[in-house]
Amino acid sequence: GAVVSQHPSRVICKSGTSVKIECRSLDFQATTMFWYRQFPKQSLMLMATSNEGSKATYEQGVEKDKFLINHASLTLSTLTVTSAHPEDSSFYICSAGGTGSGEQYFGPGTRLTVT
Amino acid sequence: GQNIDQPTEMTATEGAIVQINCTYQTSGFNGLFWYQQHAGEAPTFLSYNVLDGLEEKGRFSSFLSRSKGYSYLLLKELQMKDSASYLCAVRGPTGGGNKLTFGTGTQLKVEL
């Protein structure tokens, strides 16, 4: 099956700083990638759809100026959490694929802790 | 919008069969997925239904009834490693970008 990687797997940062998370499709090209956030014991919530070469589409309630998404190539999307605060601490997961009848392939996730 | 309901928790015995139900109300439907997620890990794909009926894949089967907005995941010959959260997800219409909306997940605990 297709492989999606994320980096870093864990990051701890101080309040007010920015953190960049990378999502890569390793063995296929992904024109669309998805970014999710998951709080403890809750389900995945879609934050935005990342489109290669164009602007991301954000879900209602997600601040596009705070969560910057860049999808510069067919294998890489990045999510930057700007001016992070403790309430941004969460598990961030990306996925790729899902077109046609295919499933979305999920990356291993990034655990962000803001102190 | 999408509204997806699953039981929060279930407990079953090793070697038994368990059925996890999912009901949904959606403004558009283009398939239903089941994922397994162990704590601290990303979801892994289990099954996909877009037409009514049963899809079988080894110890796992998934059923869909579009008219009823209902699906279930059936796990047979339960093993301890099956203890995990099981997520039901509905994909929206093609024009909506193939987005997945996830249910809250069912935490399954397999006991001896």
Side-chain angles (χ1 to χ4, degrees):
Chain A
V3 179
V4 176
S5 71
Q6 274 184 250
H7 177 80
S9 57
R10 290 178 180 272
V11 58
I12 301 172
C13 70
K14 292 188 177 180
S15 187
T17 61
S18 295
V19 174
K20 179 186 284 189
I21 302 170
E22 293 185 349
C23 177
R24 293 181 186 272
S25 56
L26 297 186
D27 50 3
F28 67 102
Q29 294 182 331
T31 55
T32 303
M33 291 184 174
F34 302 90
W35 286 97
Y36 296 86
R37 180 168 53 183
Q38 186 176 34
F39 292 106
K41 299 195 176 182
Q42 293 186 24
S43 192
L44 280 74
M45 295 297 295
L46 180 65
M47 297 176 67
T49 302
S50 173
N51 305 299
E52 188 267 336
S54 64
K55 292 183 179 180
T57 305
Y58 290 82
E59 295 300 300
Q60 194 172 12
V62 178
E63 300 174 60
K64 62 180 182 180
D65 294 331
K66 180 173 179 62
F67 298 99
L68 301 179
I69 291 172
N70 185 279
H71 194 152
S73 78
L74 287 171
T75 58
L76 173 64
S77 174
T78 61
L79 168 69
T80 301
V81 183
T82 63
S83 186
H85 288 98
E87 56 265 32
D88 298 323
S89 298
S90 187
F91 193 46
Y92 291 87
I93 308 174
C94 71
S95 72
T99 58
S101 61
E103 78 263 25
Q104 288 186 18
Y105 301 98
F106 286 85
T110 297
R111 176 74 58 191
L112 171 63
T113 303
V114 185
T115 61
Chain B
Q2 318 277 42
N3 186 35
I4 302 170
D5 288 314
Q6 301 177 237
T8 306
E9 297 179 336
M10 296 183 73
T11 302
T13 305
E14 187 180 35
I17 299 173
V18 70
Q19 177 174 312
I20 302 175
N21 296 323
C22 171
T23 58
Y24 63 90
Q25 297 168 317
T26 62
S27 56
F29 179 85
N30 190 24
L32 186 143
F33 295 80
W34 283 95
Y35 284 86
Q36 179 191 63
Q37 186 180 28
H38 286 99
E41 299 179 11
T44 55
F45 170 77
L46 291 177
S47 70
Y48 167 70
N49 296 70
V50 67
L51 299 176
D52 291 351
L54 188 68
E55 294 283 340
E56 297 185 81
K57 209 176 188 181
R59 293 191 300 116
F60 298 87
S61 303
S62 58
F63 171 83
L64 174 67
S65 170
R66 289 172 295 170
S67 63
K68 296 182 179 178
Y70 168 70
S71 173
Y72 67 72
L73 179 70
L74 196 69
L75 293 79
K76 303 175 185 176
E77 300 169 18
L78 281 173
Q79 303 174 10
M80 297 298 288
K81 67 178 182 180
D82 296 329
S83 293
S85 181
Y86 290 84
L87 306 172
C88 170
V90 173
R91 185 163 64 188
T94 303
N98 292 305
K99 295 191 297 186
L100 287 182
T101 301
F102 283 83
T104 53
T106 299
Q107 188 65 45
L108 174 65
K109 182 179 179 182
V110 180
E111 299 179 327
L112 289 172

